[in-house]
Amino acid sequence: MKKETKIIVGVLAGAALGATIALALSSDSTSDLKNKVSDFFADLLDASKDKLAGLADKATDVADKVKDKVAEINA
């Protein structure tokens, strides 16, 4: 994995762990806690999908630019 990917994964994992611990230590009932945790992870999954899609688009753009430059050099 690239350095940036490792950082993103680490931040997301840390956020998930921190939120889970904070919810576990709160005084809410068990069912409320389960709902909050499941909602949090659903939101986290949606956000990570959006971020990864954005990274994929950027990578495609960079690859296209590199191909164009190589084509210019070889021409």
Side-chain angles (χ1 to χ4, degrees), residues 11-62:
V11 168
L12 291 175
L17 180 61
T20 303
I21 290 171
L23 287 173
L25 296 176
S26 69
S27 61
D28 290 340
S29 68
T30 305
S31 63
D32 289 340
L33 178 63
K34 286 179 184 178
N35 289 334
K36 286 182 180 181
V37 170
S38 65
D39 289 344
F40 170 77
F41 281 113
D43 292 343
L44 182 63
L45 181 62
D46 289 341
S48 64
K49 284 181 182 178
D50 292 341
K51 298 255 186 217
L52 290 175
L55 287 174
D57 291 341
K58 286 182 182 179
T60 301
D61 291 342
V62 170

